[in-house]
Amino acid sequence: MSRDAKINSLLLLLVAVLAVVPLVLGLGDHKEEPFAGADAEAETAITEIDPDYEPWFSPLYEPPSGEIESALFALQAAIGAGVLAYYFGLRRGRRQGAERTRAEQERGAGTEADVDEAAPAGPGT
C-alpha cells in the first residue's frame, strides 16, 4: 500500500469516527433538538438573556419545514464545494499545462541547438 493510500485511508477513518462518536456517546440527548444549528442555539441563548429581544430583521424566505431548510443548506454547501473544486482543478490544470509547455520548449530548444551545431557551414558563413 502506497504512502498516499495509507494517508487517505487514515483520513477517511478519522472522518467516520468524527461522524459516529457523537451518536454513540449520546451527545445532545438532553436537548429537544440534539443537532440544531448554531442559529437556533444563539436564538435560545439570546432569549434566555433578554426575553424582550426583538430581531432587527426577518428572513426573506422561511422554509415550510426543517427538512426543506436542511436540504437548501446542503444544496448551498454542494454548490460552494463545486465552485471551490472547479477553481482548484482549473489552477492545477493551468499549472500542469504550463509545466508541459515549458518541458516541450526545453526539449525543442535542445534539439534546435543540436541541429545548428551539426549543420555544415555553408559558403556564406
Side-chain angles (χ1 to χ4, degrees):
M1 183 180 266
S2 72
R3 182 173 184 251
D4 288 340
K6 288 179 184 177
I7 291 173
N8 288 341
S9 298
L10 183 63
L11 288 173
L12 186 62
L13 178 67
L14 181 65
V15 167
V17 167
L18 287 173
V20 171
V21 166
L23 298 172
V24 171
L25 295 179
L27 300 177
D29 283 347
H30 62 283
K31 297 180 181 179
E32 187 176 319
E33 292 184 39
F35 299 106
D39 293 344
E41 293 289 327
E43 184 179 343
T44 303
I46 290 170
T47 311
E48 287 176 4
I49 294 170
D50 183 10
D52 298 329
Y53 175 76
E54 290 292 324
W56 295 357
F57 56 90
S58 61
L60 297 175
Y61 172 70
E62 188 75 34
S65 70
E67 291 82 10
I68 294 175
E69 185 175 358
S70 294
L72 290 173
F73 182 74
L75 178 64
Q76 177 185 356
I79 291 171
V83 168
L84 283 175
Y86 175 79
Y87 170 74
F88 286 120
L90 186 67
R91 270 187 60 193
R92 182 175 182 179
R94 285 183 179 172
R95 185 179 25 158
Q96 287 176 343
E99 289 172 0
R100 189 176 306 128
T101 302
R102 193 175 322 115
E104 289 174 359
Q105 288 175 348
E106 288 174 0
R107 270 187 272 142
T111 306
E112 290 174 10
D114 293 341
V115 170
D116 288 342
E117 290 174 6
T125 55

